[in-house]
Amino acid sequence: MKPSSSDPPDPSDPHQARLMSAVMLALMGLCAAVYFLLPNRGAFFTHIWAWVLSWR
Amino acid sequence: MGMMPSFMPRIDYTGLLWVVALSALTYLPWLLFWLRTELRWSEVLLAAYLCNVVQIIGLQVALGLIGQLYAMPLAVATFVCSGIVLWQAVRLQRRRASRIGTGEPTRWRQLRWRQLIDAGREIGHSRVSVLLLGLLGANLLWLLFLACIFPPYAYDEFYYHMPIVATIIQEHTIVPPDSAIPYIQAYPRFSELLSVWNSIFLHRDTFADLAQVPMLAMGGLALYIIARNAGAMRRWAIACAALWWFCPIVILQANTTYNDIMLGGWWACALAFALPNSSRESHAAQDRRQGRPVLVALAGGLMLGSKISGQVHVVALALLLLYLAWQQRSAWRITFKQIAGWMGMVAITGGVWHVLNAIQWGNPFYPIPIRVFGVALLPGDDYLMNSIIGGAAEQHVAHIPTLPLRVLSLWFDLGNGYEIGAPLNGFGPLWPIVALPALVLATVWAWQRRDFLVHGLLLIAAMLLILTPASWTPRYSLALVAIGALALAKLSAVFTARTQHWVAGAMGGLSILSLLLTTDHLYFDVPRIRKFTALPDAQRIATQWDPGSFGATYQWIEANTHQGHITLAYDGVTLVYPLWGYGFRNRVIYVRPNDTRPYFDDLQTAGVNYAVVNKTWPSAKALQQDARAHVAFDGPDDLIVFTIQQP
């Protein structure tokens, strides 16, 4: 997604901003991996599909 | 109903209109009242909601204390109170306009439409914000539909939340009668009073589960305000609010009479008005003029009166206020005086249950026993404390040794699927994937900038986690969500615009996932939704909801108490609520067995027609041995019904 003209201004320290952004995205990726790869996740998500199908 | 187009769900639209109109009657005057201040629109909406709830609860408490909690006096008191608020709003606005001078347009005319238009433009440009608000709107409509077609349906609702509501409506007082369910007697009941409000005028529970749905929106609005005060732009603040709006346990509890989301929501409201605004110099005098300390106190009072752990939250809030005063370098003497005054306001707003408990049990903090070095100063109830602390829930986390590990691992949703009382999950994917990294990063970043607000709040959160029973369960630690929103808001100043887009985009996707995971849960399977959509309102009752749990005995009672004026007594019955029947038709009381007199005599004296007792309890044996008591129904479940002939 490209930033538009109504975006918030970039922070005054671009180096720190890039570093913090990278760390945040890395942490999010790590936490997402843990969350989605937990052993019980299969049952967690297949419920949704069964529920959607049951409306037919 | 007969004129209803076929595509419209079968809902009692007239009743719904009544409930909405009465709530609007109390809300709108407060909206006008707060519009005269310098608070922002979002703050005005939240302040009006807070005052609206305090008015609804306050009037019921006042009438309930004198035993006059009937529909008509409550309606009259509401009209009078709302009229006074409206009159005050107009009077204060006129006075303000005359002080400013006639040249300047008054706030009534301005109503700060410009602020709303700007907000609309900024939010409209952000696809993620539009998506999140659209999802919120769709979810609110879905919850409204569910709340309208289903009766109260969750275990604790049958066990004590709805019996509290029904008892208050039956007895017209908030002073609890004798009960076998200790929660009914020693439990803060503000949340239940909101369901009383939704039920007392129609004299049925059709909309009882609708009472807390507004908190789903308002808790998020509080997070939005917290984020805006921390300097976030509107679109980022909406992403912060999503932490609450799409938190599964919040969604699941919104259409019940459980009170966890009320506690977490009031905490967020308190923070919304307590935390400093980073875009302006915070002046205590200005804050006072805007009414912020009063609003924080009202939120504190609502916490105190909604749940036993609200007491700990109030202490945490007082510590936060002390911390903020220290940050602003206020004089200690003045600070302590202000905090003492604030605590007084909190006690007046929410301390009514403490007064009743002190009178009834000799301990305002009942059922918490007050002990010093093992010596009991004030009596408590250890059985009740154990059930509150969740001894049964403890077994789920016995393999996780420490509290920090338990809290952290449960943030990742260890259980299989969501449910209202789930001990092992509830925060959903947004919390571990977005809020947890934000908390870590904000802690480090703010430390470098010598901005210790997040750290102060995390210390207070740690205190809450240590002092709140079973705090590792997400539904008991919803206060954390507001702190996560603050951390995320703080980081908006440091991320590149592109990162903000990515994070917000990820939050949009995770919010959709949260909604899907929450919609698909065990209570509302498709056959049940189809069945209840077709049922007339009078048949939307527990025996239809769950014939497995409410079997033959409940069905016999339902079929044999239609003539009205029936009094039922119970003993050894856990799920009491269905005994009231549709429209709170029956009178349900507890008659405590007494060793010195035959139980039958006590039941007869109390005017009981049927006694519903557990077969294994001494009261059942006493009635079986009494020739005057006849077995009316001996079902295959644990219960037996006796006819008590009146002389």
Side-chain angles (χ1 to χ4, degrees):
Chain A
M1 203 187 296
K2 282 185 179 173
S4 70
S5 57
S6 59
D7 277 338
D10 270 342
S12 53
D13 183 349
H15 174 69
Q16 191 196 31
R18 277 198 297 274
L19 178 71
M20 296 296 274
S21 296
V23 174
M24 179 69 180
L25 293 174
L27 282 173
M28 283 176 69
L30 181 71
C31 290
V34 174
Y35 185 82
F36 288 112
L37 294 177
L38 275 174
N40 64 345
R41 278 313 103 113
F44 213 81
F45 296 124
T46 47
H47 268 284
I48 305 173
W49 190 235
W51 193 83
V52 172
L53 285 182
S54 67
W55 277 95
R56 291 193 306 176
Chain B
M1 294 284 264
M3 301 292 285
M4 208 66 69
S6 60
F7 62 87
M8 297 283 276
R10 195 170 179 169
I11 290 172
D12 174 11
Y13 291 98
T14 316
L16 180 62
L17 195 68
W18 263 109
V19 170
V20 172
L22 275 167
S23 300
L25 175 79
T26 61
Y27 184 78
L28 291 175
W30 284 112
L31 190 72
L32 293 176
F33 181 88
W34 286 104
L35 262 173
R36 73 179 174 82
T37 65
E38 291 157 22
L39 295 177
R40 284 196 300 257
W41 256 104
S42 50
E43 293 172 319
V44 168
L45 291 170
L46 191 67
Y49 176 62
L50 254 175
C51 294
N52 163 51
V53 169
V54 169
Q55 179 185 322
I56 287 172
I57 289 173
L59 290 179
Q60 289 183 81
V61 166
L63 289 170
L65 281 174
I66 54 170
Q68 292 299 314
L69 187 45
Y70 294 86
M72 189 50 80
L74 183 59
V76 170
T78 300
F79 273 104
V80 170
C81 188
S82 292
I84 291 170
V85 175
L86 188 63
W87 170 64
Q88 278 295 317
V90 172
R91 194 180 67 88
L92 290 171
Q93 176 56 26
R94 281 206 183 126
R95 190 196 284 178
R96 185 172 182 277
S98 65
R99 208 169 46 227
I100 292 169
T102 49
E104 189 172 325
T106 65
R107 205 166 274 277
W108 292 135
R109 261 178 250 152
Q110 276 183 336
L111 280 180
R112 285 168 287 173
W113 297 118
R114 170 62 45 199
Q115 227 182 58
L116 276 184
I117 293 164
D118 288 348
R121 276 208 190 112
E122 189 192 323
I123 291 163
H125 277 113
S126 162
R127 270 178 283 183
V128 175
S129 299
V130 172
L131 170 75
L132 292 174
L133 290 174
L135 288 175
L136 171 69
N139 193 31
L140 284 172
L141 284 176
W142 175 243
L143 290 176
L144 175 70
F145 167 69
L146 292 178
C148 289
I149 65 161
F150 287 119
Y153 57 89
Y155 187 89
D156 284 359
E157 291 191 282
F158 292 124
Y159 178 27
Y160 63 96
H161 289 299
M162 282 309 293
I164 289 174
V165 172
T167 303
I168 290 172
I169 289 176
Q170 171 184 295
E171 303 292 330
H172 313 291
T173 173
I174 59 161
V175 182
D178 195 9
S179 170
I181 304 164
Y183 288 104
I184 290 185
Q185 290 185 292
Y187 203 75
R189 302 183 273 280
F190 277 179
S191 296
E192 286 79 5
L193 281 177
L194 292 179
S195 291
V196 171
W197 169 263
N198 272 20
S199 308
I200 194 169
F201 298 109
L202 301 172
H203 211 265
R204 52 190 154 90
D205 64 7
T206 311
F207 304 109
D209 276 345
L210 204 58
Q212 297 183 31
V213 172
M215 187 48 105
L216 176 68
M218 291 299 166
L221 183 65
L223 267 56
Y224 174 90
I225 294 167
I226 290 169
R228 291 285 288 150
N229 283 341
M233 293 183 74
R234 289 187 180 97
R235 60 174 67 175
W236 191 254
I238 286 176
C240 293
L243 291 180
W244 178 271
W245 287 334
F246 304 107
C247 177
I249 196 63
V250 174
I251 297 171
L252 286 176
Q253 284 205 5
N255 61 334
T256 69
T257 45
Y258 283 45
N259 50 20
D260 301 309
I261 72 162
M262 299 312 273
L263 187 62
W266 298 136
W267 169 263
C269 290
L271 259 55
F273 293 111
L275 295 182
N277 187 330
S278 65
S279 64
R280 64 170 170 79
E281 281 294 311
S282 201
H283 294 296
Q286 190 187 2
D287 284 351
R288 265 201 302 281
R289 205 172 55 242
Q290 292 176 350
R292 287 173 196 273
V294 174
L295 292 168
V296 178
L298 292 183
L302 289 171
M303 285 196 288
L304 189 67
S306 295
K307 205 168 163 66
I308 290 177
S309 52
Q311 296 168 132
V312 184
H313 285 68
V314 167
V315 173
L317 199 52
L319 284 178
L320 174 69
L321 296 179
L322 264 178
Y323 173 75
L324 292 174
W326 172 72
Q327 266 201 330
Q328 290 171 359
R329 304 189 195 295
S330 304
W332 284 114
R333 229 178 103 239
I334 297 170
T335 301
F336 280 122
K337 255 169 75 178
Q338 284 172 346
I339 302 264
W342 179 84
M343 290 291 260
M345 276 195 281
V346 169
I348 289 168
T349 312
V352 61
W353 312 119
H354 293 76
V355 175
L356 291 177
N357 280 345
I359 294 168
Q360 190 167 2
W361 309 99
N363 176 4
F365 305 104
Y366 192 86
I368 303 169
I370 305 297
R371 296 192 183 108
V372 177
F373 301 117
V375 179
L377 296 182
L378 298 171
D381 184 329
D382 287 325
Y383 167 75
L384 190 53
M385 281 310 292
N386 283 335
S387 65
I388 291 167
I389 286 170
E394 195 79 16
Q395 65 186 350
H396 297 287
V397 290
H399 61 289
I400 310 173
T402 61
L403 179 64
L405 266 180
R406 284 178 179 184
V407 170
L408 197 61
S409 54
L410 263 57
W411 284 359
F412 283 84
D413 287 343
L414 293 191
N416 292 321
Y418 299 112
E419 57 151 323
I420 296 165
L424 296 182
N425 57 20
F427 272 150
L430 275 167
W431 182 260
I433 297 173
V434 181
L436 176 59
L439 276 169
V440 172
L441 209 58
T443 309
V444 176
W445 178 72
W447 187 273
Q448 287 174 340
R449 293 193 43 175
R450 323 284 303 159
D451 171 4
F452 298 118
L453 182 58
V454 174
H455 307 90
L457 273 168
L458 282 175
L459 277 177
I460 287 168
M463 188 199 91
L464 276 176
L465 288 173
I466 291 166
L467 294 180
T468 306
S471 61
W472 35 266
T473 297
R475 70 181 176 120
Y476 295 149
S477 55
L478 281 171
L480 290 174
V481 181
I483 302 171
L486 177 72
L488 195 60
K490 291 259 177 199
L491 290 175
S492 71
V494 74
F495 289 156
T496 61
R498 194 177 289 274
T499 306
Q500 289 198 28
H501 276 289
W502 284 346
V503 174
M507 291 186 77
L510 291 172
S511 299
I512 294 173
L513 181 64
S514 270
L515 272 185
L516 286 173
L517 288 170
T518 310
T519 308
D520 157 45
H521 79 105
L522 56 96
Y523 293 97
F524 304 120
D525 55 30
V526 177
R528 242 182 200 160
I529 292 174
R530 289 214 168 107
K531 176 183 173 184
F532 273 81
T533 309
L535 280 176
D537 196 61
Q539 287 180 37
R540 288 169 174 163
I541 50 176
T543 44
Q544 293 282 353
W545 166 260
D546 186 359
S549 299
F550 303 105
T553 306
Y554 286 97
Q555 282 161 20
W556 185 90
I557 292 165
E558 179 58 33
N560 289 278
T561 56
H562 273 278
Q563 63 270 43
H565 306 295
I566 296 290
T567 298
L568 294 161
Y570 65 91
D571 193 30
V573 184
T574 306
L575 302 180
V576 179
Y577 179 60
L579 300 184
W580 265 273
Y582 178 76
F584 308 110
R585 184 181 61 227
N586 302 322
R587 180 167 173 259
V588 180
I589 58 170
Y590 175 64
V591 179
R592 192 173 290 278
N594 188 315
D595 289 341
T596 56
R597 279 190 309 274
Y599 192 40
F600 186 93
D601 290 350
D602 287 344
L603 291 169
Q604 204 175 43
T605 309
V608 171
N609 302 103
Y610 295 112
V612 187
V613 290
N614 192 308
K615 285 175 192 173
T616 60
W617 283 48
S619 49
K621 290 190 175 58
L623 288 174
Q624 273 163 337
Q625 288 162 3
D626 196 317
R628 295 169 295 172
H630 304 290
V631 176
F633 186 76
D634 187 355
D637 43 21
D638 291 339
L639 305 176
I640 184 166
V641 184
F642 291 95
T643 306
I644 309 297
Q645 287 291 347
Q646 289 301 315

